[in-house]
Amino acid sequence: RIAGAPFEEQLVQLATGDARGEVRLWNVADGAAQGALLAHASPVTAAAYSPDGKLLHTASADGSWKMWQLPLAPPRTLVTAADAATKLALSADGKQLVVGAADGKLSIVDPTMATPQTPKELAGQAGAPTALAIAGGLIASGNAVGEVRVWNAADGAARGVIAGHTGVVRDIAIS
C-alpha cells in the first residue's frame, strides 16, 4: 500500500506498507529513506496522510488502526477491529477517519480526539469494502459484487445503494 503526504501542493513524502507489517517513509524528491517502523503484527492493508501531512494513519490485517505523528513519534492506537482493517479514508479536514474491515463493518472515529472513543458503525455494508471515500458530507463504499453504498458523513444515515458494476468496485471518487 502507498500513501503520499501533501505539502505546498507537492508530494514530499511517501509511505509504503508491506506484508510483514512494516511501514517505510521515503523522500519523494530523491528516493531517500526517511524512516522505518514495525507498525503492525500483520500485513499493512491501508495508509492515509492527514491533509496537512503531519499525521499518518495505518491499518492492518490484525485489525488495528494506528495514527503516527510526523516527524515520527510513537503511534496512538485509535481502536482495534474484530477483523482485518482493509481500507481507510480520511476527510479533508482530518476529523473523520473511516475504516473498512474484512468482516464488512465500516467504522468512523475522530482521530483528533485526545482519548480513544467508541467508533460509530455504518449499517448496511455488504461484504468487505473494496473501495472507500469520504468527501462533500458523504461516505461511499464499494464491494466485490459491484455495489456502492452511500451514507451521510455527519450522522451515518444511509443514503442509498448504487448498483451497476458487474464486478469489483476498485475505487471511488466524490466531488
Side-chain angles (χ1 to χ4, degrees), residues 102-162:
D103 61 7
K105 289 185 180 171
L106 292 176
S107 304
I108 305 171
V109 295
D110 181 347
T112 65
M113 300 294 287
T115 58
Q117 66 218 257
T118 302
K120 181 189 322 180
E121 301 287 334
L122 297 176
Q125 174 68 23
T130 56
L132 193 57
I134 180 170
L138 298 174
I139 296 169
S141 177
N143 66 18
V145 296
E147 296 175 337
V148 174
R149 292 186 182 266
V150 181
W151 297 266
N152 287 329
D155 61 7
R159 294 279 302 260
V161 178
I162 301 166

Side-chain angles (χ1 to χ4, degrees), residues 10-23:
Q10 294 180 332
L11 289 177
V12 296
Q13 188 176 71
L14 187 78
T16 60
D18 68 19
R20 295 183 323 251
E22 184 176 67
V23 172

Side-chain angles (χ1 to χ4, degrees), residues 29-102:
D30 63 10
Q34 294 182 320
L37 44 122
L38 186 56
H40 298 278
S42 294
V44 175
T45 57
Y49 279 95
S50 63
D52 63 6
K54 293 180 181 178
L55 299 172
L56 174 64
H57 301 271
T58 60
S60 171
D62 66 12
S64 64
W65 327 334
K66 294 184 179 179
M67 180 175 70
W68 304 87
Q69 188 166 349
L70 301 172
L72 283 178
R76 193 174 109 214
T77 298
L78 299 174
V79 73
T80 299
D83 206 345
T86 60
K87 294 291 176 190
L88 292 175
L90 187 65
S91 63
D93 65 4
K95 293 184 178 179
Q96 286 183 301
L97 177 66
V98 184
V99 180

